[in-house]
Amino acid sequence: MKIQPISKPFDEEFEKISSDKSISHRCAIFSLLSDKTSEIYDYLEAEDTLNSLKIITKLGAKVEQNGNLIKITPPKQIISPNSILDCGNSGTAMRIFMGLLAASDGFFVLSGDEYLNQRPMQRISAPLKQIGAKIYGRENANKAPIAIKGKKLKYFKFKSQIPSAQVKTAMILAGLLGNGGKFSEIELSRNHSEIMLQKMGAKITKNGLNLIIKPLKKPLKPLKMIVPNDPSSCFFFAVAAAITKSAKITLKNVLLNPTRIEAFKILEKMGAKISYKITNESFESIGDICVEGSDLKAVEVSQNISWLIDEAPALAIAFASAKGTSILKNAKELRVKESDRIAVMVNGLKKCGIKAKELEDGFEITGGEPKFAVIDSFGDHRIAMSFAILGLKCGMDIQKSEFIATSFPKFTHFLKQLGAKIEN
């Protein structure tokens, strides 16, 4: 993807941007816990989330699509497929499916692309094995392909040392389908799973950072919901507006869960003009976010990192456009995402003429005037999109940009609406 810098500020309103990836994955997987048909409007049609639909089909579900409505009819019992379950590039899918399948009768093999199969899975496999799960894989079940011989699992008490919604969701599913359990975490991670499952009728009790999970005595109610726009995807365009003088963007129907808009709050601290308007609270808070360009100032970020881990690459672009030196710390998790996002962002920004330094658990970036560069995204969709946003200022040539389709197929369409000229 080659991007030329835009020539004038923009004032745009985006309504159907990109449906939430995290919630879409969960809609597909949680539908298997019901005995009735779930109805999902605006499910994200990106490679990763479509792979989740293919997987549940292999597990016995019937998936029907009519326009923006997807109906999922679960099987009476999850079946053992005669082929590998391909998660593509999605760590979310693989880790959540591990929790579901470890507690389900059958034999299952999960795999993904060359990048996913290098990501750590022991954070899921280790606690599951402690409660009786039979899980096998490379490096003691740390690397996919992952083979699972499912069975009913024991009651557990587990405290996660990683604030991870993926770990939490896997253990919740293991408890619901097994003999229950108690899960606690060191800080609150994304809480979509417990919200969705409680609304489906699961007995999950929250006490601070602790969850008490009661085993299912009957199937859950089916899901009937509209998937809101993804704040992580919207954030790229929030940054585009924030770093462009006199620019303005309104992002409609965005999920406003506090664990998902922390990066917007950081952008506010940097001086961006941001307003929020709640328009719907039937499922979670959903509404509009308006962002206006402003002179950004440096900031230090060290708290609530799990709430902004996906937005960190785009946040680095805001750092590169701010006055002064910004620091992100306590974000070692960035080392084991789709790429080593700390190293890749720092090296890419250096190529753009921006002063940047790797920290063990984050980065230090001094704002400046970026210049055109050729950037290798290392197959990481968020790296590619982040440098595309910087390219609006200085132009950019991004290699392996096809991986953007794993989460945000219409990304270039919205870039063009801002006035960008793009060659593929």
Side-chain angles (χ1 to χ4, degrees):
M1 179 193 293
K2 291 183 180 178
I3 300 171
Q4 295 180 21
I6 57 175
S7 56
K8 57 183 180 180
F10 50 84
D11 184 348
E12 293 289 335
E13 180 175 290
F14 291 166
E15 187 161 353
K16 284 194 174 291
I17 309 163
S18 182
S19 296
D20 193 82
K21 185 181 175 192
S22 297
I23 289 178
S24 294
H25 278 304
R26 285 161 172 79
C27 283
I29 298 168
F30 295 170
S31 69
L32 298 177
L33 301 178
S34 181
D35 60 351
K36 294 182 174 62
T37 299
S38 289
E39 297 182 354
I40 316 298
Y41 289 88
D42 295 338
Y43 185 92
L44 175 63
E45 294 188 53
E47 289 176 9
D48 279 353
T49 45
L50 291 175
N51 280 333
S52 285
L53 289 180
K54 290 175 185 175
I55 289 174
I56 66 169
T57 301
K58 286 188 175 184
L59 296 175
K62 181 181 178 183
V63 178
E64 303 171 275
Q65 182 169 4
N66 183 6
N68 69 333
L69 169 64
I70 286 180
K71 291 184 177 182
I72 303 172
T73 304
K76 290 183 179 178
Q77 185 175 345
I78 287 175
I79 63 173
S80 286
N82 62 2
S83 59
I84 287 171
L85 304 173
D86 184 2
C87 299
N89 191 245
S90 177
T92 298
M94 182 170 284
R95 289 169 179 150
I96 295 178
F97 272 117
M98 284 173 70
L100 176 88
L101 299 176
S104 302
D105 286 337
F107 179 76
F108 315 93
V109 178
L110 293 162
S111 190
D113 65 17
E114 61 180 303
Y115 299 100
L116 178 57
N117 284 5
Q118 288 302 317
R119 295 180 65 186
M121 296 296 149
Q122 208 163 44
R123 61 185 59 182
I124 307 290
S125 62
L128 288 173
K129 287 201 282 187
Q130 287 173 12
I131 56 174
K134 302 295 184 185
I135 303 177
Y136 311 90
R138 295 180 300 127
E139 298 179 16
N140 194 22
N142 188 40
K143 301 281 180 69
I146 297 287
I148 299 170
K149 179 67 175 71
K151 57 180 287 190
K152 191 160 186 173
L153 301 176
K154 295 183 287 190
Y155 176 86
F156 64 84
K157 289 183 179 179
F158 178 69
K159 182 171 185 178
S160 177
Q161 298 304 311
I162 306 169
S164 165
Q166 296 168 359
V167 173
K168 176 166 61 176
T169 305
M171 296 306 291
I172 288 173
L173 292 175
L176 290 174
L177 295 174
N179 286 292
K182 180 180 179 180
F183 177 89
S184 60
E185 52 190 346
I186 53 175
E187 67 178 56
L188 180 65
S189 60
R190 290 182 182 181
N191 57 358
H192 304 308
S193 293
E194 49 267 50
I195 291 172
M196 291 175 71
L197 289 166
Q198 283 171 335
K199 296 212 169 185
M200 293 175 74
K203 295 191 183 309
I204 301 171
T205 307
K206 187 177 187 308
N207 181 14
L209 295 174
N210 302 311
L211 293 176
I212 308 296
I213 304 130
K214 298 285 188 183
L216 293 183
K217 301 224 183 276
K218 61 180 181 180
L220 297 179
K221 292 180 289 187
L223 284 161
K224 295 192 185 298
M225 63 177 294
I226 301 171
V227 181
N229 282 319
D230 191 328
S232 300
S233 296
C234 292
F235 187 67
F236 293 105
F237 297 102
V239 171
I243 66 175
T244 305
K245 192 172 182 180
S246 301
K248 180 180 178 182
I249 195 158
T250 302
L251 306 160
K252 308 282 284 184
N253 303 316
V254 183
L255 181 65
L256 298 181
N257 181 310
T259 67
R260 296 296 303 281
I261 58 169
E262 182 71 6
F264 290 88
K265 298 297 183 181
I266 299 302
L267 210 52
E268 279 187 88
K269 288 180 182 176
M270 296 178 72
K273 298 174 184 175
I274 303 181
S275 62
Y276 309 85
K277 179 185 176 184
I278 295 175
T279 57
N280 189 322
E281 291 189 280
S282 59
F283 166 66
E284 291 196 47
S285 291
I286 296 168
D288 304 339
I289 303 177
C290 181
V291 185
E292 297 182 55
S294 183
D295 292 328
L296 301 181
K297 61 180 185 292
V299 69
E300 182 169 322
V301 182
S302 60
Q303 294 181 321
N304 294 333
I305 300 301
S306 66
W307 296 6
L308 53 76
I309 202 77
D310 284 342
E311 294 82 6
L315 201 54
I317 301 303
F319 288 0
S321 304
K323 184 178 180 181
T325 299
S326 297
I327 299 172
L328 175 72
K329 298 191 296 187
N330 299 328
K332 201 168 185 178
E333 181 72 6
L334 288 171
R335 297 277 188 193
V336 292
K337 300 296 280 185
E338 282 82 340
S339 67
D340 179 342
R341 287 179 175 165
I342 293 173
V344 175
M345 283 305 303
V346 166
N347 290 335
L349 287 172
K350 285 179 178 177
K351 286 184 179 180
C352 296
I354 298 295
K355 186 178 177 183
K357 175 184 172 184
E358 279 189 54
L359 306 176
E360 182 185 0
D361 60 349
F363 40 66
E364 189 176 289
I365 297 169
T366 302
E369 283 299 319
K371 63 181 183 182
F372 173 89
V374 178
I375 301 294
D376 186 344
S377 73
F378 290 86
D380 190 325
H381 56 128
R382 297 197 191 278
I383 297 291
M385 289 187 281
S386 297
F387 279 102
I389 296 302
L390 189 59
L392 297 176
K393 292 185 76 171
C394 58
M396 204 69 67
D397 184 339
I398 302 163
Q399 298 172 340
K400 302 187 183 75
S401 63
E402 67 271 18
F403 282 87
I404 290 171
T406 63
S407 68
F408 199 166
K410 293 184 178 179
F411 178 73
T412 53
H413 165 79
F414 290 108
L415 275 185
K416 289 175 182 177
Q417 268 193 249
L418 300 186
K421 294 181 180 177
I422 300 171
E423 298 173 33
N424 288 315

